[in-house]
Amino acid sequence: MNGLETFHPAVRRWFERRFPEGPTAPQEAGWPAIALGRDTLISAPTGTGKTLAGFLVCIDRLLRSAQRFELRADGEEADRTEVVYVSPLKALNNDIRRNLLTPLEELRGIFEQAGAPFPNIRALTRSGDTPQEDRRRMLRQPPEILITTPESLNLLVSSQGGRGLLSGLQIVIDPSG
């Protein structure tokens, strides 16, 4: 038992292909608590898969959740932001590429190979550099995963629209904390 048995079969298959050596100790220790929704602090050296530990549970939840959408009054599906990843901008590219965007694209391929539809899991970035039009669009169509800086998160929390964006929040990942 290495903790992978609780994941969606496609997530488990992706992880086993990507990391044939298996999960790291921080991942094995963190997954059960994260999956139960407990506040979880994983303190381990760089490169031990801490951020991926959080992201994998989030991706698994988003894939499994048949009721990931709420219906608006007009009958259209309304997305909601369930995951916030807080990180300084300089750390975004490496962490996000490795720990979020790459697994999502590779999982899409696994689903396609199996002939199964892959849900539209969107990850968007919000920072001081985000154009105003993109910010407005984000409020109208929230991404499932929001990647932001501490400063931008503070602005979101202190505005009515931002609090609405975060109303469905389930998990916060802060690799610097």
Side-chain angles (χ1 to χ4, degrees), residues 24-43:
T24 64
Q27 290 167 336
E28 285 186 56
W31 283 334
I34 297 167
L36 290 172
R38 294 186 181 145
D39 293 340
T40 307
L41 173 64
I42 300 175
S43 179

Side-chain angles (χ1 to χ4, degrees), residues 126 139 146 155-167:
R126 161 86 189 245
L139 293 175
L146 176 64
L155 292 172
L156 286 169
V157 170
S158 61
S159 73
Q160 185 175 356
R163 285 190 304 274
L165 174 75
L166 301 173
S167 66

Side-chain angles (χ1 to χ4, degrees), residues 12-35:
R12 188 171 47 244
R13 190 173 314 119
W14 171 83
F15 190 91
E16 289 169 344
R17 285 182 188 172
R18 193 70 136 93
F19 303 99
E21 67 280 3
T24 64
Q27 290 167 336
E28 285 186 56
W31 283 334
I34 297 167

Side-chain angles (χ1 to χ4, degrees), residues 114-157:
F118 188 75
N120 185 25
I121 299 174
R122 292 173 301 122
L124 297 178
T125 302
R126 161 86 189 245
S127 70
D129 298 335
T130 304
Q132 193 62 32
E133 177 54 34
D134 291 349
R135 293 176 191 196
R136 284 192 292 273
R137 187 176 18 247
M138 193 177 296
L139 293 175
R140 289 190 310 270
Q141 288 185 302
E144 289 73 24
I145 302 171
L146 176 64
I147 303 147
T148 190
T149 61
E151 297 81 10
S152 289
L153 181 59
N154 182 49
L155 292 172
L156 286 169
V157 170

Side-chain angles (χ1 to χ4, degrees), residues 166-177:
L166 301 173
S167 66
L169 192 61
Q170 301 291 315
I171 294 179
V172 176
I173 301 172
D174 183 352
S176 65

Side-chain angles (χ1 to χ4, degrees), residues 72-132:
R72 297 188 311 223
D74 62 6
E76 292 294 315
E77 290 179 340
D79 300 335
R80 64 183 199 193
T81 298
E82 295 186 23
V83 179
V84 169
Y85 177 93
V86 185
S87 183
L89 276 180
K90 64 181 181 177
L92 283 178
N93 289 342
N94 291 336
D95 277 353
I96 300 308
R97 175 71 47 205
R98 183 178 61 248
N99 295 316
L100 179 60
L101 299 179
T102 299
L104 283 174
E105 285 306 311
E106 292 173 354
L107 278 164
R108 182 180 307 281
I110 289 172
F111 272 71
E112 286 173 1
Q113 287 174 351
F118 188 75
N120 185 25
I121 299 174
R122 292 173 301 122
L124 297 178
T125 302
R126 161 86 189 245
S127 70
D129 298 335
T130 304
Q132 193 62 32

